[in-house]
Amino acid sequence: MKKRLIISSAICLAVLIVSLYFAQALLVPKYVSVSPEGALTAEYYAAADETSHDVLFIGDCEVYESFVPAVLWEKYGISSYVRGSAQQLVWHSYYLLEDALRYETPKAVVFNVLALKYGQPQSEAYNRMTIDGMEWSQSKVDAIIASKTEDESFLSYVFPLLRFHSRWDELTGEDLEYMLDRPEVSDSGYLIQTDVRAAEPDDLAIEGSPLADYTLPKESMAYLDKIKKLCDDNGIELILIKAPTNSWRYWWYDEWDAQIVDYAGKNGLAYYNFIDEVEDIGIDWSQDTYDGGVHLNVYGAMKLTEYFGKTLRDAHGIPDRHEDTNMSAVWSGRVESFYSKLTDNIRED
Amino acid sequence: MSYTTWSFVALIFAAVLLYYLLPKRIRWTVLLCASVIFYAAGGGWYLPFIAATVITTHIAARAISKMASRAEEYISLHREDMSKEERKAYKAKEKGRRCAVLVAVLVLNFGILAVMKYTGFTLNAVNGLLSAFGRGVTVPVPDLLLPLGISFYTFRATGYIIDVYRGKTEAEKNIFRYALFVSFFPLVLQGPISRHSKLAPQLFEGNSLRRENITAGIFRILWGYFKKVAIADTALVGVRAVISGEGFTGMYALYLIIMYSVVIYGDFTGGIDITMGVARLFGIRLEENFKRPFSSRSTQEYWNRWHITMGSWFTDYLFYPMSVSKPMGRLTKRCRTRLGKGIGMRLPVYLATLITWYLTGLWHGAGWNFIVWGLINGVIILVSRELEPLYAKFHKKFPSLDTQKGAYGVFCAVRTFLLMGSVRILDCYGDVPRTFASFGSIFYRFDTWKDLFNGSIITNLGVGVWQYVFLAAATLVVFFVTRRERDELACDKLSRKPVLWAVACTALIFVIVIFGSYGIGFDSNQFIYNQF
């Protein structure tokens, strides 16, 4: 009796573990045709295995919609990657950078400052999209602890099935198709958007509503300090940027900007606010945005990338790696993939 | 600490491990420590309340016990010196003294319960009256938090002291052992309301590790989680939508009657299964609180099968003592003289029944809805009794109609289910006029039935087609399993069949993990009966 109990329990336990493994693979969101930004974090590791990157962009949607690594390579021979995800908060960026440094040490880290306005965890959904894709390391553990909202549990990050189990009644063919293997949705972390939705004149006329206090939260500024220290400790140049937007919905206040200018000045960092350089870049808000001026589309992103690439090369000495045959081989594939996806997207539109 | 938290699972695991590792004579201390941790985790400020109940009832029980022994000793010593009348008078005097101690400690403990549970309700009622009479004053209503499980542990403790007073159980000498009886952690949140004579010996025995206790306990815990997290909490989504939505009457009220029955059954019996399973892991068998209540053919039968320990508490400690009390005896006599033998005999019993049901309603919660719920249950039982001669005539005329078998049996069960479900929705709305309006709409808002057939019910209530399919399948599983539990519980049967046990546990874990309503977007922490 005892022997039968032990054997049957062991067999059933094994069956249970395997069943739960496949159930998890089936039930977690695939982030392919819906919310592809949720797949960005995980795609980095394969790219880091392929080749090293001299520039890492970190930040929220304003980086993965504004900088096209394929264009940077094509025009300047700069090997770069975008480690951005939707509403990626400063501590997410810090831990993603710490995570990336386990694989490579770039020459420059470009950090988009918009997320500095958030001092507290914001949304469970965005936490999941940023953190779930991270490979397990101390950085992921710390990222979960720093990011989780009141309702979230650490255990649900260890076993995502505990979070996504209720998707069983909303499964689609995509869940089955990409259960064990998912296609790459980004191009070196850049997410192609080919739609054009011009900023409405009314939208452009509205300014951000006044705030009671313009001081950037001390929590987010503390993480900016940590990013800077991490860069200093690894001999990496930290460059601050603010991507161009033209919408009150993501208003960047002058008072915030002044604090960044001050911070950059005190810490000897370069800071580029591209909102002020829209004309020089050549951005046309009737053509270069897919959502009325909140984010750039691929046409705007290519212009901005070309513009900023010159700065990276001339002002920050990021080398041209076209001569590196191994790297060139990798990048020619990535450039080809980017243009192929671009063509496909345009055709679908 | 709720049953649906990982900390509860960790507590059980640690407690079971320690329990069987320690020597038998001190195993009960593990249960006491676990109970204190469980209770303190719910909020440290609760501890003084349960400690007050433990201390006062322990002291009083010891005093009553000592007084009784002293009285017996005195009589046996002075048997020769005292006449029969003197002995009778002495006994009566001593009983009166013991009764005074009993009454004092009951008043104190029910007083604590009343103040903590009913102050807000009473003062709101007073304010309502003041406002109705146009007085411009309102009494401030304090916001008192109800100590965890106060209704359950107060009943357990007061039941114990009444038993000590009646000489049915021995007074516990060790206050810590007694504290374990009152606070035994699986019973804190929703009972059952166990009796000292049945529970205490098992608590202090230092039970041996037996495979069948562990396997039966594990299965019963999983079965409880299945009913609570997978069935009750899934059905709760639709129930909440009907209650909080506007205009969900007619067919939706009928939906509420059925679905809330599923919710309360899964929630309460699931919680009790977890309680029983946890206790079983320590080798403790608690009294069953449910015996297939939804197969009851009458209201009376239903209340003998649903929340059995609460019903027997009210019967043993309230209904019977009240029925045989001197005032009730005088009332019976007076009614018999003035109204004749038939009605004169029944009226006091009916009064005791209504008082008992009024207090049963009040025990469930401080609100008019609970009071009305209790009184309606009482009235239904009394009407059923009054109609018994009619039923008898009916069955004499149609002897083939058996309430326990066939289509008529099913009809009786469905009728009782719907009747009890209709009364139960007072608990859902928490508002008496709204409940009656909603119930009444079943009989004239026939236009709402179109939502059942055009799919609007799915979008309106947020429960998808597949969730209904799952609910139906899961409910059927529960139905068939409980049907086979007439002679022996499923957990006991399975503990003798290791392969089937392992398969059943595996299937339950899988179903709970995938189909359970837990995590972000769900609120499965709260058991409905915790609030009582």
Side-chain angles (χ1 to χ4, degrees), chain A residues 1 4-5 8-9 12 16 19-20 23 27 124 151-152 155 161-163 165-166 168-169, chain B residues 6 211 215 466-467 470 496 498-499 501-503 506 509-510 513-516 518 520 522:
Chain A
M1 184 86 136
R4 282 180 72 193
L5 180 70
S8 50
S9 298
C12 285
L16 180 69
S19 310
L20 290 177
L27 289 165
E124 186 263 342
D151 296 335
E152 290 178 80
L155 203 63
L161 179 64
L162 297 177
R163 167 62 185 91
H165 65 97
S166 56
W168 65 268
D169 62 343
Chain B
W6 290 107
R211 183 186 50 75
T215 49
W466 286 109
Q467 283 170 309
F470 167 73
R496 290 194 304 275
V499 178
W501 174 85
V503 171
T506 306
I509 294 173
F510 187 82
V513 170
I514 305 297
F515 299 100
Y518 62 88
I520 302 272
F522 299 103

Side-chain angles (χ1 to χ4, degrees), chain A residues 55-210:
Chain A
V55 177
L56 271 186
F57 292 89
I58 54 171
D60 50 19
C61 51
E62 289 195 343
V63 292
Y64 71 72
E65 296 295 19
S66 299
F67 299 99
V68 191
V71 172
L72 265 186
W73 175 264
E74 206 180 23
K75 301 285 180 193
Y76 305 101
I78 292 174
S79 175
S80 66
Y81 198 91
V82 181
R83 283 220 90 179
S85 54
Q87 207 186 66
Q88 183 171 302
L89 303 174
V90 192
W91 41 94
H92 291 144
S93 291
Y94 172 76
Y95 291 113
L96 281 175
L97 175 60
E98 197 180 70
D99 178 51
L101 294 184
R102 297 190 302 131
Y103 299 89
E104 58 184 340
T105 307
K107 295 195 180 308
V109 163
V110 179
F111 173 65
N112 185 61
V113 294
L114 177 66
L116 286 168
K117 67 179 179 174
Y118 298 114
Q120 296 298 324
Q122 297 292 307
S123 152
E124 186 263 342
Y126 290 128
N127 276 345
R128 304 289 324 198
M129 284 203 261
T130 305
I131 298 170
D132 272 341
M134 285 178 82
E135 287 186 352
W136 279 101
S137 66
Q138 187 59 43
S139 301
K140 178 161 180 169
V141 172
D142 294 340
I144 295 167
I145 293 166
S147 312
K148 71 185 179 70
T149 55
E150 208 176 305
D151 296 335
E152 290 178 80
S153 71
F154 188 89
L155 203 63
S156 73
Y157 282 93
V158 181
F159 302 109
L161 179 64
L162 297 177
R163 167 62 185 91
F164 297 110
H165 65 97
S166 56
R167 290 189 69 243
W168 65 268
D169 62 343
E170 54 191 62
L171 292 174
T172 63
E174 197 170 82
D175 287 297
L176 201 63
E177 188 180 351
Y178 303 129
M179 188 172 152
L180 299 172
D181 191 26
R182 297 177 206 173
E184 200 179 55
V185 297
S186 81
D187 285 275
S188 302
Y190 171 72
L191 206 56
I192 297 177
Q193 297 286 354
T194 47
D195 290 349
V196 177
R197 191 170 78 75
E200 297 292 328
D202 285 352
D203 245 15
L204 296 173
I206 303 170
E207 292 199 351
S209 46

Side-chain angles (χ1 to χ4, degrees), chain B residues 9-125:
Chain B
V9 177
L11 177 72
I12 296 173
F13 187 76
V16 169
L17 207 64
L18 262 178
Y19 185 83
Y20 290 112
L21 282 176
L22 288 178
K24 279 188 175 183
R25 63 188 168 78
I26 55 164
R27 282 182 181 171
W28 65 272
T29 57
V30 175
L31 301 181
L32 181 62
C33 291
S35 301
V36 172
I37 292 168
F38 180 85
Y39 208 78
W45 74 275
Y46 292 139
L47 282 168
F49 290 95
I50 195 167
T53 298
V54 168
I55 292 166
T56 55
T57 48
H58 176 72
I59 292 172
R62 294 282 294 145
I64 288 170
S65 178
K66 274 181 190 167
M67 286 158 82
S69 336
R70 266 204 306 266
E72 266 179 38
E73 208 174 304
Y74 183 85
I75 287 173
S76 64
L77 277 174
H78 299 86
R79 187 168 288 277
E80 307 300 320
D81 316 330
M82 294 170 89
S83 66
K84 199 177 173 186
E85 285 70 33
E86 279 174 331
R87 281 205 303 270
K88 207 173 166 187
Y90 177 77
K91 273 185 183 174
K93 187 182 145 202
E94 283 300 310
K95 195 179 176 192
R97 286 179 61 207
R98 293 200 299 276
C99 187
V101 175
L102 174 71
V103 169
V105 81
L106 290 182
V107 166
L108 179 71
N109 280 281
F110 284 125
I112 296 172
L113 177 64
V115 168
M116 299 309 293
K117 195 164 175 176
Y118 305 108
T119 302
F121 169 66
T122 311
L123 293 179
N124 279 325

Side-chain angles (χ1 to χ4, degrees), chain A residues 229-261:
Chain A
K229 185 171 183 310
L230 192 60
C231 288
D232 288 346
D233 291 348
N234 288 278
I236 301 165
E237 184 183 6
L238 176 64
I239 302 166
L240 306 179
I241 57 141
K242 171 66 190 79
T245 52
N246 204 343
S247 168
W248 56 271
R249 279 175 285 169
Y250 279 85
W251 197 259
W252 181 249
Y253 292 94
D254 289 341
E255 290 82 352
W256 290 346
D257 201 60
Q259 290 169 67
I260 303 298
V261 169

Side-chain angles (χ1 to χ4, degrees), chain A residues 293-313:
Chain A
V294 182
H295 302 98
L296 298 176
N297 58 18
V298 69
Y299 312 110
M302 287 169 82
K303 288 177 187 171
L304 175 63
T305 306
E306 194 170 342
Y307 179 83
F308 186 49
K310 194 166 180 295
T311 308
L312 285 173
R313 183 192 63 193

